């Protein structure tokens, strides 16, 4: 059966037909707007000449949309974390070599690009490097986030300790608390600290010249805080007098919670201004007059207590937390205050999109600003409050910078470093009804040429999280690469998906194998009933929680011809104590609930060929899950070995990747092996494996 038209179409030349072109597409992230609103900067990641890594450069965009984008930094190491000073100078971090100190080993340092033009130069470097920088909007106050060894007393001591550890070849870490790993990073022995940039004493080493930079020092304002800032980001007040941050507090049994802390920038005095045993708190932006902070309130979960996210307003020096938009059944992420302090600009997942909203702080009223089916991030506001700038993406285009008129909701793309890639198909919004009568919404990607006479094979893609939504572009799971090869791709939002109200979360909380599974089957049933979909050729695929669901699907139905499971949870009793955040997981399910919802107990029912994919550096879903899944598929599943003893299951293993496959050369391997596996089991066709696998 033909999957695509016999004659070539213009889409056959798209980046989705060529993995080399796909991985080379530029990738935008982050936005920073100057205080006067005239300059807008984003980061653009591009492939290096060897095709083995991405390097980010800073690009300036014209907020008015009249001038083309222009690149303003260039180095092999790349640049990131742009933040404008009130003067218009631009700070960023980079590990590129300092041309004035070429003998030093490059580490991420703090650089400054003058507003008047010219080359960037290092303004501060330290042996442990600099992670990020945040500047106050209305004052000459800058917060730097950097790491120090836990026992260090000052910068000089930290340097000596790092050198001694390196010279001795010691990598061991002695832990006194939890967690010890995060995603793909071993935590410790360094710990994050917040520093204030200050001008040091004059340098008497030589004569002062017209282009000399003042000597800068870092003042630690979070000394003795331990590892409490590992998952936090500082919010500095517009007047620069204080910063707010969340801080983790151990509560025993390996558990922790987050409190809200205020740090006085002049004295370094720290005080807890908000804490409650039933909630975790994150710092949001501070009001333009520096009097009020937005707080993100996260309800602490339990087996019978689903998560919820709300906003509150808190006096900046502490006091009573006032709920904000408490009747809104969405999970808002605060972006910025309006300059007059009358409202907030936020984003929130909503019905397969993530629009921009405004919230009136006096009434709590919520107004939706953007109306398109797109996801908005990195929102910044013009000084007069009339315009917002953001990155926008959807399944029809990767992130692009746009200008938003807040009064009308009009959205216009800004001239970009690259154009949208042409798509090899179309995108539809479809709906099904779950077993309990709840609506289940999905996106459906259809390849070119799919119709009743040429029905397309179907791939059910299950998102991770599980608290998330298929609403934004993804480079790691691009349905268009498979559409270019003739497949239709179904992207459903089952129970536990965000953007559909609290009830959607409650339907699946603590019962992953129930409503999430039946919702996925309902979505699949509705789509395979279409004339342009071939019900006889289907596969299920998912990563992380989506991989868990792929495993669960494999043990509960034989309707699919093949299943691809990436970074997947297999045995929940094993996963719980070994993931990097056991304290969270063990509040979701009791041991009895975990056993009831564990895919490994159904391995004897599996008769579908499975492609297992896992990275060894995955600390969120440790490699033990993939190894156990692989062995139990071979030893306990129903799929018999062939005449030569070879199994139809496959295991794609990445020794140096983590929860995500990030290296471009490995992304190509991932997509190629997936295509090979699907073609074999859905189409009965042979697609060559990459020669780089050595097979």
């Amino acid at each position: 059966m033909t999957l695509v038209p016999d004659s070539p179409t213009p889409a056959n030349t798209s980046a989705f037909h060529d993995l080399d072109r796909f991985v080379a597409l530029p990738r935008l992230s982050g936005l920073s707007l100057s205080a006067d609103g005239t300059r807008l900067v984003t980061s653009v990641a591009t492939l290096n000449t060897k095709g083995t890594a991405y390097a980010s450069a800073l690009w300036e965009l014209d907020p008015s949309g009249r001038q083309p984008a222009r690149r303003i930094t260039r180095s092999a190491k790349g640049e990131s974390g742009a933040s404008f000073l009130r003067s218009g100078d631009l700070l960023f971090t980079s590990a590129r070599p300092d041309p004035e100190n070429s003998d030093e080993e490059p580490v991420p340092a703090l650089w400054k690009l003058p507003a008047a033009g010219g080359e960037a130069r290092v303004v501060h470097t330290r042996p442990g490097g600099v992670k990020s920088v945040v500047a106050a909007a209305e004052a000459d106050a800058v917060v730097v986030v950097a790491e120090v060894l836990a026992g260090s007393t000052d910068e000089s001591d930290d340097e000596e300790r790092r050198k001694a550890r390196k010279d001795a070849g010691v990598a061991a870490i002695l832990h006194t608390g939890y967690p010890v790993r995060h995603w793909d990073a071993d935590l410790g022995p360094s710990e994050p600290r917040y520093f204030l940039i200050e001008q040091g004493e004059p340098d008497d080493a030589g004569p002062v010249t017209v282009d000399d930079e003042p000597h800068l020092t870092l003042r630690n304002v979070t000394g003795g805080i331990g590892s409490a800032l590992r998952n936090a980001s500082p919010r500095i007040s517009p007047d620069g007098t204080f910063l707010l941050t969340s801080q983790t507090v151990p509560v025993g049994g390996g558990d922790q919670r987050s409190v809200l802390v205020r740090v006085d920038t002049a004295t370094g005095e720290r005080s807890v201004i908000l804490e409650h045993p039933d909630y975790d708190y994150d710092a949001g932006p501070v009001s333009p007059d520096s009097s009020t902070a937005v707080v993100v309130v996260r309800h602490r979960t339990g087996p019978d207590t689903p998560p919820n996210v709300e906003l509150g307003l808190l006096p900046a020096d502490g006091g009573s937390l006032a709920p904000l938009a408490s009747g809104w059944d969405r999970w808002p992420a605060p972006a910025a205050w309006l300059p007059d302090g009358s409202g907030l600009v936020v984003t929130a997942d909503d019905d397969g999109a993530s629009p921009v909203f405004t919230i009136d702080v006096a009434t709590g009223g919520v107004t939706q600003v953007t109306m398109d089916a797109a996801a908005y991030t990195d929102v910044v506001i013009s000084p007069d409050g009339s315009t917002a700038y953001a990155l926008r993406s959807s399944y029809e285009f990767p992130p692009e910078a746009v200008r938003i008129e807040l009064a009308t909701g009009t959205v216009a793309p800004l001239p970009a470093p690259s154009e949208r890639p042409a798509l090899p198909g179309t995108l539809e919004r479809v709906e099904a009804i779950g077993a309990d009568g709840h609506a289940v919404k999905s996106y459906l990607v259809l390849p070119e040429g799919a119709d009743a006479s040429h029905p397309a094979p179907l791939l059910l893609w299950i998102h991770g999280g599980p608290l998330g939504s298929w609403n934004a572009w993804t480079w790691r799971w691009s349905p268009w690469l498979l559409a270019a090869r003739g497949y239709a791709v179904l992207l459903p939002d089952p129970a536990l998906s965000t953007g559909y109200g609290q009830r959607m979360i409650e339907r699946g909380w603590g019962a992953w194998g129930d409503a999430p599974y039946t919702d996925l089957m309902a979505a699949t049933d509705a789509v395979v009933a279409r004339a342009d979909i071939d019900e006889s050729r289907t596969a299920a695929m998912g990563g992380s929680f989506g991989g868990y669901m792929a495993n669960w699907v494999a043990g509960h139905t034989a309707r699919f011809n093949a299943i691809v499971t990436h970074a997947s949870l297999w045995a929940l009793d094993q996963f719980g104590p070994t993931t990097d955040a056991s304290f969270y997981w063990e509040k979701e399910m009791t041991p009895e609930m975990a056993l009831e919802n564990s895919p490994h107990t159904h391995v004897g029912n599996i008769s579908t060929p499975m492609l297992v994919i896992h990275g060894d550096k995955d600390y969120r879903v440790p490699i033990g899950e993939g190894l156990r899944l692989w062995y139990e598929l071979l030893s306990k599943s129903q799929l018999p070995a062939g005449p030569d003893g070879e199994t139809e299951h496959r295991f794609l293993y990445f020794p140096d990747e983590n929860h995500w496959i990030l290296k471009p050369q490995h992304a190509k391997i991932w997509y190629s092996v997936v295509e090979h596996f699907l073609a074999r089991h859905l189409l009965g066709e042979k697609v060559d494996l990459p020669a780089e696998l050595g097979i």
Side-chain angles (χ1 to χ4, degrees):
M1 186 173 290
T2 304
L3 300 181
V4 296
D6 294 331
S7 58
T9 66
N12 292 133
T13 62
S14 79
F16 302 103
H17 292 83
D18 184 338
L19 283 173
D20 288 322
R21 292 180 60 191
F22 173 76
V23 298
L25 289 172
R27 307 178 178 196
L28 273 68
S29 61
L31 282 180
S32 182
L33 183 68
S34 63
D36 62 4
T38 62
R39 301 181 64 200
L40 186 65
V41 168
T42 189
S43 177
V44 181
T46 54
L47 195 63
N48 67 10
T49 55
K50 294 182 179 180
T52 57
Y54 294 97
S56 294
L58 300 182
W59 284 68
E60 185 165 338
L61 311 175
D62 179 13
S64 71
R66 290 189 290 267
Q67 300 299 321
R70 66 184 186 94
R71 185 171 180 168
I72 57 175
T73 64
R74 187 181 300 273
S75 74
K77 293 291 186 180
E79 299 83 25
S80 61
S83 182
F84 277 102
L85 296 173
R86 184 172 59 159
S87 64
D89 293 343
L90 184 67
L91 296 177
F92 62 88
T93 61
S94 178
R96 62 185 183 178
D98 180 0
E100 297 181 2
N101 294 281
S102 57
D103 294 335
E104 294 185 2
E105 183 178 349
V107 295
L110 186 64
W111 293 69
K112 183 171 76 174
L113 186 63
E119 293 190 12
R121 63 192 306 173
V122 173
V123 294
H124 191 84
T125 187
R126 54 187 303 278
V130 173
K131 293 186 67 177
S132 61
V133 56
V134 182
E138 304 293 339
D140 296 325
V142 180
V143 179
V144 167
V145 181
E147 293 199 342
V148 302
L149 292 177
S152 300
T153 57
D154 55 34
E155 288 289 86
S156 176
D157 183 41
D158 190 58
E159 181 175 2
E160 292 177 4
R161 287 172 180 264
R162 288 179 183 277
K163 185 176 186 303
R165 184 176 170 87
K166 180 179 179 181
D167 291 347
V170 171
I173 303 169
L174 177 63
H175 290 284
T176 60
Y178 188 86
V180 300
R181 309 196 296 183
H182 186 64
W183 287 118
D184 63 345
D186 292 300
L187 301 181
S190 295
E191 299 172 341
R193 296 289 185 270
Y194 300 159
F195 297 84
L196 268 295
I197 291 182
E198 295 183 336
Q199 188 166 325
E201 297 298 322
D203 189 352
D204 296 329
V208 175
T209 62
V210 69
D211 69 339
D212 269 353
E213 286 283 348
H215 178 62
L216 300 180
T217 62
L218 298 184
R219 175 168 57 90
N220 189 342
V221 293
T222 51
I225 204 169
S227 60
L229 301 176
R230 276 185 175 145
N231 296 319
S233 298
R235 296 278 193 168
I236 191 167
S237 62
D239 64 8
T241 60
F242 66 91
L243 60 88
L244 299 178
T245 185
S246 62
Q247 173 183 323
T248 57
V249 177
V251 295
D255 196 4
Q256 62 185 35
R257 60 186 176 89
S258 296
V259 301
L260 196 67
V261 172
R262 173 184 167 125
V263 180
D264 186 280
T265 56
T267 65
E269 180 182 355
R270 295 197 306 273
S271 57
V272 176
I273 60 174
L274 190 61
E275 63 175 329
H276 192 284
D278 296 333
Y279 301 97
D280 291 319
Y281 300 106
D282 292 325
V286 180
S287 62
D289 63 2
S290 298
S291 68
T292 308
V294 180
V295 181
V296 180
V297 183
R298 304 183 186 276
H299 295 237
R300 289 173 61 77
T301 61
D304 299 314
T305 309
N308 196 9
V309 180
E310 298 176 308
L311 295 182
L313 296 177
L314 184 73
D317 55 358
S320 298
L321 182 69
L324 179 64
S326 58
W328 189 26
D329 195 13
R330 293 293 182 268
W331 290 3
W337 285 78
L338 293 174
D340 63 3
S342 65
L344 283 173
V345 177
V346 306
T347 59
D349 287 357
D350 182 68
D351 194 19
S354 187
V356 174
F357 301 86
T358 57
I359 302 177
D360 187 297
V361 298
T363 67
V366 178
T367 302
Q368 184 171 340
V369 177
T370 59
M371 299 297 176
D372 53 347
Y376 290 80
T377 64
D378 303 280
V379 183
V380 293
I381 309 299
S382 66
D384 64 4
S386 65
T387 306
Y389 304 95
L391 295 184
R392 173 182 68 171
S393 76
S394 78
Y395 277 100
E396 295 185 299
F397 50 87
E400 61 185 15
V402 297
R403 183 178 65 252
I404 308 165
E405 303 303 329
L406 292 176
T408 64
T410 302
V411 181
L414 298 175
S418 62
E419 297 181 354
R420 291 181 181 181
L423 301 179
T426 58
L427 184 71
E428 294 184 14
R429 189 76 166 150
V430 296
E431 183 173 332
I433 302 299
D436 60 358
H438 201 285
V440 182
K441 298 187 178 182
S442 310
Y443 284 108
L444 177 63
V445 170
L446 284 172
E448 292 179 337
D451 57 27
S453 61
H454 298 90
L458 178 70
L459 307 180
L460 166 66
W461 280 19
I462 312 167
H463 70 64
L467 304 173
S469 171
W470 287 122
N471 62 14
W473 184 271
T474 169
W475 294 103
R476 293 187 292 270
W477 283 75
S478 174
W480 299 108
L481 286 169
L482 278 302
R485 285 142 184 85
Y487 295 95
V489 182
L490 178 64
L491 305 163
D493 280 343
L496 290 173
S497 297
T498 53
Y500 304 93
Q502 192 65 17
R503 176 59 187 147
M504 194 67 160
I505 306 298
E506 295 170 352
R507 293 174 63 238
W509 186 253
W512 289 4
D514 190 4
Y517 169 70
T518 57
D519 282 0
L520 292 170
M521 294 304 97
T524 304
D525 289 341
V527 168
V528 297
R530 295 167 52 123
D532 53 3
I533 299 297
D534 185 352
E535 183 177 9
S536 69
R537 299 183 296 171
T538 61
M541 300 172 57
S544 194
F545 169 78
Y548 160 90
M549 284 305 317
N551 295 338
W552 187 265
V553 166
H556 286 78
T557 179
R559 69 183 297 173
F560 296 102
N561 303 90
I563 291 177
V564 179
T565 180
H566 170 96
S568 65
L569 291 70
W570 174 242
L572 297 189
D573 60 338
Q574 170 182 276
F575 165 78
T578 59
T579 181
D580 60 353
S582 298
F583 58 86
Y584 182 88
W585 160 254
E586 293 195 346
K587 289 198 290 288
E588 178 160 356
M589 293 186 190
T590 64
E592 294 76 18
M593 295 164 70
L595 182 62
E596 183 179 351
N597 288 276
S598 188
H600 84 283
T601 61
H602 303 279
V603 64
N605 297 330
I606 295 177
S607 59
T608 305
M610 296 185 68
L611 169 60
V612 179
I613 308 175
H614 222 108
D616 197 82
K617 302 302 182 183
D618 187 349
Y619 298 162
R620 179 54 48 95
V621 182
I623 184 61
E625 295 296 297
L627 294 174
R628 182 171 173 179
L629 167 58
W630 177 239
Y631 178 73
E632 293 188 348
L633 282 178
L634 299 183
S635 60
K636 297 181 180 181
S637 74
Q638 290 186 16
L639 196 63
D644 57 358
E646 183 179 340
T647 179
E648 288 295 315
H649 300 304
R650 295 291 185 269
F651 184 17
L652 177 59
Y653 169 66
F654 292 94
D656 58 349
E657 294 283 5
N658 53 57
H659 198 60
W660 306 282
I661 307 304
L662 298 179
K663 297 179 180 179
Q665 67 271 30
H666 285 163
K668 290 162 57 179
I669 295 292
W670 192 99
Y671 281 113
S672 297
V673 172
V674 166
E675 183 189 356
H676 165 87
F677 189 75
L678 295 175
R680 175 172 177 167
H681 294 290
L682 270 70
L683 312 181
E685 297 178 359
K686 177 177 172 52
V687 172
D688 290 338
L689 288 166
E692 293 86 346
L693 286 174
I695 297 175

